[in-house]
Amino acid sequence: MSDISKVRNIGISAHIDSGKTTLSERILFYTGKIHKIEEVRGKSGVGATMDSMDLEREKGITIQSAATYCTWGDFEINLIDTPGHVDFTVEVERALRVLDGAVLVLCGVAGVQSQSITVDRQMKRYNVPRLAFVNKIDRSGSNPDRVAEQLREKLHHRPVVMTYPMGLEDKFAGLIDLLHMKAVYFDGDNGEDMRREDIPAEYLEEAKKRRHAMIEALSDFDDIIAEKFLIEEEVTAEELIPVIRRETINLKITPLYCGSAMKNKGVQILLDAVGMFLPSPQDVKNEGLDQSQNEASIELIPERTKPFVGLAFKLEDGRFGQLTYMRIYQGGVKKGDTLINMSNGKRVKVPRLVRMHADEMHDVDEVGPGQIIAMFGIDCASGDTFTDGNLSVTMTSMFVADPVIELAVSPKEKAGQVNFSKALNRFTKEDPTFRVYRDEESGETIIKGMGELHLEIYIERIKREYNCEVNVGRPKVAFRETITANSNFNYTHKKQTGGSGQFARVAGLLEPLPSDAVETYEFVDDIVGGAIPREYIPACDKGFREAVTEGSLIGQPVVGVRATINDGAEHPVDSSEMAFKVASIAAFREAYLKAKPVILEPIMKLEVSAPEEFQGVAIGQINQRRGVIVGATMDAAYVVVEAEVPLSEMFGYSTDLRSVTQGKGEFSMEFLRYSQVPKSVQDEMVKAYQQKRSEGR
């Protein structure tokens, strides 16, 4: 069993295209896990180790978080590389939920970007201590000092600069390690030979100044360092390391490293820092909810002798069935053990335990606390807690955002229906932000997700992994109809055929319900003196209910209507329930057109955030989409615009927003209310509906 104090569970998170996967590839190479470096968009077409899905290699983006493990010195590192794209945000959420520490990668040129702010918010949500790594120092325009300033201003961190480059852009030769006051060079074809030398004379003055600033920042957290700083006595690395470690874990400081993963410089120093400064499972407080004590909080201790508690945080349907990724919080598990799923009380046997290396599996017989492993043949959902039955504990699941976009999908061929259903079932189980439902109004299968790219990737996966071609429709917006004025009706239904005929007369009033009414339809019986016999009243209600399912304007359901009947007539022989139902339907349709009917559309509450230089174009786009701006606020050089926009105008918005904001704009939207469409839009919709009906005849 490994020494738990030497275990590090870390994630690599950042804005899209900051170099997370490239950095992960270098970490695997330097720790001896792989023997050849592959690039994300390499000419070999092999792709980076952690991007094991064909789609990831083609698009050069990470779609699923990938897990691996490696050793550096006497440290054992469990590493998760997460996607940077906002559409796959749940992958970052679930990784951060189970990790003890993280590396926040920032681009040396672009600095803190919109998705850096999002992942930082996610890290704060789960109290994850982090190191910052400023990547791409070799790029033209890179400036690590500016990035440190943005960390302070935009993310409110206290960065402590630990390394800084000797030369920038194409002159980047190596790093100065301010902790040990040494110049570090990276020799060999892939920078694997790390050489420490005395600091060159031209950098010595700057290095002293920067180390002075580092000690000054740390003196706020430790009296001994503060005292030595004041009397200008030398502070050793051995004195600084425990203070940096303690305050990093307390989320008070963020040690800042720099380098270029692509040019193989600076990665080993970052690995040293992971061991020195990020927490082991013992340094992090994890809590569960004791079900036997009314969900009282209970601390989980990462010790082998304690009862087993683990959290399934990610599911994957692989070649060999469902693979369940699990973080073990206390106790241990062996092959063949029986575990209990706390969400449904089912007992499951562990047939196979593996440790993942991207898409490869390495079998293990037993695993102790603090580890991240995968199990086969365990049926569960993402976020389920497992115990060995000695404890009744559940763990809080991760935060799952609501989907913002939907598409109608169907298999192109009847034969593909089985595979199509299999794919949708699998994806909904794997990804909590991917939802599927059947629209009863249109009979279509609707998929919902976090953005157009999110759904596009799943449609592509149905084609590739399930060999099923898919029809993708423009999603149908759920419009409604209502009335805006009162209208009287008096309708007589007469039908005389051989034998008994049909007769019924209904009279009354159609009126709009108040806007705050809970029900969408109300029926009032005001009949006095038996004008309509009691046994026929429910038939009238039934007729009106049937009539409101389809309005006359565009065939959508009618809401916000009160139908009152106050008069009528019957025939002793020809009246029947059926006759009164038919009379009510016809009376409603006649009165409906005189009651000034209108079309209602769903209005969404939209929140857009983009760097302030894009404020004008972002607002212009919302105005073009019939949006109403409710407010705009500035936050850390970002503008956040709140607006109300019709859902029908929002398709294609994520692509448009990203194109006008250089990929830096983000948005979230949720349903707000139904509202009347403008007269010009209504006229067009009615005309299109009438034309469709006449063509359908």
Side-chain angles (χ1 to χ4, degrees):
M1 298 301 286
S2 52
D3 174 2
I4 194 166
S5 68
K6 298 289 185 190
V7 172
R8 299 288 179 269
N9 293 317
I10 65 161
I12 294 186
S13 301
H15 185 87
I16 192 163
D17 268 352
S18 298
K20 298 175 297 301
T21 304
T22 307
L23 177 61
S24 303
E25 191 78 0
R26 301 309 187 265
I27 288 174
L28 294 178
F29 178 76
Y30 296 132
T31 55
K33 202 76 193 169
I34 56 173
H35 303 293
K36 181 172 185 282
I37 292 173
E38 293 289 356
E39 301 307 342
V40 174
R41 292 187 179 89
K43 291 188 175 64
S44 68
V46 175
T49 309
M50 300 298 265
D51 284 350
S52 56
M53 202 194 285
D54 289 344
L55 267 172
E56 295 181 309
R57 292 177 172 176
E58 277 170 37
K59 290 182 181 280
I61 59 169
T62 303
I63 292 167
Q64 290 187 328
S65 50
T68 187
Y69 66 100
C70 51
T71 51
W72 180 250
D74 51 358
F75 290 101
E76 194 178 316
I77 300 172
N78 289 312
L79 176 79
I80 297 185
D81 173 28
T82 63
H85 208 289
V86 66
D87 286 10
F88 308 107
T89 189
V90 73
E91 291 288 338
V92 186
E93 287 284 348
R94 56 171 145 217
L96 292 175
R97 169 68 186 84
V98 298
L99 293 171
D100 303 322
V103 176
L104 176 62
V105 182
L106 299 160
C107 172
V109 183
V112 173
Q113 295 164 275
S114 59
Q115 199 59 17
S116 327
I117 296 171
T118 307
V119 295
D120 182 66
R121 197 165 53 229
Q122 291 168 320
M123 288 177 190
K124 283 178 177 149
R125 184 181 291 138
Y126 301 111
N127 293 325
V128 177
R130 74 286 253 175
L131 306 173
F133 181 70
V134 181
N135 195 18
K136 305 189 180 184
I137 290 296
D138 57 309
R139 282 274 191 89
S140 138
S142 63
N143 182 344
D145 289 340
R146 188 181 67 230
V147 180
E149 199 49 47
Q150 288 180 342
L151 258 182
R152 193 174 286 111
E153 284 175 10
K154 291 187 178 181
L155 301 182
H156 313 296
H157 284 223
R158 276 195 71 167
V160 174
V161 176
M162 307 299 291
T163 62
Y164 89 98
M166 291 185 279
L168 283 172
E169 302 174 2
D170 54 351
K171 296 186 175 64
F172 175 40
L175 295 170
I176 289 176
D177 175 359
L178 296 173
L179 189 62
H180 301 98
M181 283 301 272
K182 288 284 181 194
V184 187
Y185 300 92
F186 303 88
D187 302 331
D189 293 343
N190 297 307
E192 61 270 31
D193 302 324
M194 197 165 74
R195 174 164 58 89
R196 289 178 180 270
E197 305 269 337
D198 287 338
I199 297 171
E202 69 262 36
Y203 292 111
L204 195 56
E205 206 49 50
E206 181 67 14
K208 283 179 177 168
K209 203 166 87 188
R210 285 176 181 259
R211 193 170 199 270
H212 185 79
M214 176 177 91
I215 293 167
E216 185 179 5
L218 294 170
S219 66
D220 288 353
F221 302 102
D222 189 84
D223 293 344
I224 296 166
I225 292 175
E227 202 174 303
K228 285 195 165 189
F229 175 72
L230 288 170
I231 59 172
E232 296 187 359
E233 197 178 306
E234 186 55 41
V235 186
T236 64
E238 287 64 39
E239 288 170 310
L240 291 169
I241 289 169
V243 177
I244 298 171
R245 177 178 172 78
R246 184 184 71 222
E247 298 311 324
T248 302
I249 293 171
N250 289 341
L251 305 178
K252 292 284 192 292
I253 61 168
T254 305
L256 183 72
Y257 288 82
C258 62
S260 165
M262 192 71 166
K263 293 281 189 284
N264 310 312
K265 290 182 169 74
V267 179
Q268 297 98 315
I269 297 186
L270 180 69
L271 280 168
D272 289 339
V274 165
M276 279 192 292
F277 303 134
L278 287 181
S280 76
Q282 288 173 322
D283 300 319
V284 177
K285 188 178 178 185
N286 285 299
E287 291 182 339
L289 304 173
D290 191 342
Q291 298 303 312
S292 59
Q293 298 288 324
N294 208 7
E295 296 210 339
S297 245
I298 171 174
E299 190 174 346
L300 302 174
I301 315 291
E303 286 174 12
R304 189 74 176 87
T305 52
K306 299 273 181 192
F308 175 84
V309 178
L311 178 73
F313 66 95
K314 177 175 159 66
L315 312 179
E316 244 174 56
D317 220 351
R319 298 186 296 266
F320 311 106
Q322 183 173 304
L323 183 66
T324 304
Y325 286 82
M326 192 179 288
R327 161 76 197 256
I328 300 172
Y329 284 94
Q330 81 174 21
V333 63
K334 287 208 279 288
K335 213 158 81 171
D337 278 0
T338 301
L339 301 178
I340 291 172
N341 183 341
M342 295 305 292
S343 69
N344 55 21
K346 281 188 182 164
R347 300 175 77 82
V348 287
K349 198 167 185 185
V350 180
R352 188 178 172 196
L353 275 178
V354 293
R355 294 191 71 178
M356 295 304 294
H357 170 45
D359 59 345
E360 294 172 21
M361 290 158 226
H362 303 159
D363 279 276
V364 288
D365 290 329
E366 69 170 311
V367 192
Q371 293 287 4
I372 291 173
I373 48 130
M375 297 181 181
F376 268 109
I378 285 188
D379 188 38
C380 66
S382 192
D384 285 356
T385 305
F386 284 84
T387 69
D388 56 6
N390 294 322
L391 266 184
S392 184
V393 167
T394 58
M395 300 200 66
T396 53
S397 191
M398 56 260 169
F399 169 82
V400 177
D402 287 327
V404 295
I405 196 161
E406 47 183 67
L407 279 177
V409 289
S410 61
K412 272 190 183 161
E413 279 135 24
K414 269 280 194 297
Q417 187 66 50
V418 174
N419 277 359
F420 179 70
S421 301
K422 265 188 195 165
L424 293 184
N425 285 339
R426 171 189 159 188
F427 297 149
T428 43
K429 211 169 178 188
E430 282 183 15
D431 181 352
T433 57
F434 179 76
R435 319 246 172 104
V436 180
Y437 75 95
R438 184 179 162 79
D439 183 348
E440 294 306 328
E441 285 173 29
S442 61
E444 294 172 314
T445 300
I446 306 286
I447 57 173
K448 291 175 146 192
M450 297 306 297
E452 281 159 300
L453 179 69
H454 190 207
L455 297 183
E456 192 188 300
I457 293 287
Y458 277 120
I459 288 160
E460 191 61 35
R461 285 182 67 187
I462 294 172
K463 287 180 194 168
R464 291 180 184 211
E465 295 171 31
Y466 288 88
N467 202 15
C468 170
E469 288 292 326
V470 179
N471 293 319
V472 181
R474 185 185 158 106
K476 186 176 167 193
V477 173
F479 289 102
R480 297 284 182 264
E481 296 182 28
T482 192
I483 56 172
T484 56
N486 293 357
S487 171
N488 292 310
F489 56 85
N490 186 350
Y491 186 85
T492 305
H493 171 63
K494 257 190 204 170
K495 204 171 183 187
Q496 203 63 47
T497 49
S500 63
Q502 288 184 13
F503 177 87
R505 182 172 79 85
V506 289
L509 173 71
L510 218 54
E511 56 187 327
L513 280 169
S515 56
D516 57 352
V518 181
E519 296 298 322
T520 58
Y521 160 78
E522 206 176 281
F523 176 70
V524 180
D525 167 19
D526 265 355
I527 295 291
V528 287
I532 298 175
R534 297 254 53 85
E535 67 265 28
Y536 296 141
I537 302 289
C540 297
D541 182 19
K542 214 181 244 178
F544 288 127
R545 278 184 191 278
E546 196 170 301
V548 297
T549 58
E550 194 180 312
S552 316
L553 293 179
I554 55 166
Q556 293 294 325
V558 180
V559 296
V561 176
R562 179 187 288 136
T564 304
I565 52 168
N566 51 26
D567 197 10
E570 59 133 4
H571 185 279
V573 178
D574 293 349
S575 286
S576 64
E577 274 192 25
M578 191 60 184
F580 274 99
K581 183 182 166 188
V582 172
S584 299
I585 292 172
F588 180 88
R589 288 189 180 147
E590 186 181 85
Y592 181 68
L593 291 173
K594 294 186 288 185
K596 297 187 180 164
V598 293
I599 299 169
L600 300 176
E601 62 182 340
I603 300 291
M604 309 302 282
K605 181 181 168 199
L606 173 73
E607 194 173 277
V608 181
S609 77
E612 58 185 307
E613 66 259 35
F614 301 114
Q615 181 173 355
V617 286
I619 288 175
Q621 258 190 356
I622 294 168
N623 290 335
Q624 280 170 354
R625 292 171 181 267
R626 294 199 284 120
V628 176
I629 309 289
V630 177
T633 51
M634 291 300 297
D635 178 30
Y638 261 66
V639 63
V640 178
V641 182
E642 286 177 29
E644 293 175 5
V645 193
L647 176 61
S648 57
E649 301 285 343
M650 289 307 288
F651 301 119
Y653 179 64
S654 60
T655 314
D656 289 356
L657 177 69
R658 287 193 186 122
S659 66
V660 300
T661 60
Q662 296 169 11
K664 294 173 185 172
E666 286 179 12
F667 77 100
S668 64
M669 67 178 186
E670 57 188 343
F671 174 73
L672 185 62
R673 63 168 188 278
Y674 270 98
S675 190
Q676 197 173 324
V677 302
K679 182 85 175 73
S680 57
V681 178
Q682 175 163 325
D683 293 345
E684 271 176 42
M685 289 172 75
V686 172
K687 194 171 150 194
Y689 176 69
Q690 301 298 354
Q691 198 175 338
K692 196 169 150 196
R693 287 197 68 179
S694 59
E695 283 167 8
R697 284 203 173 104

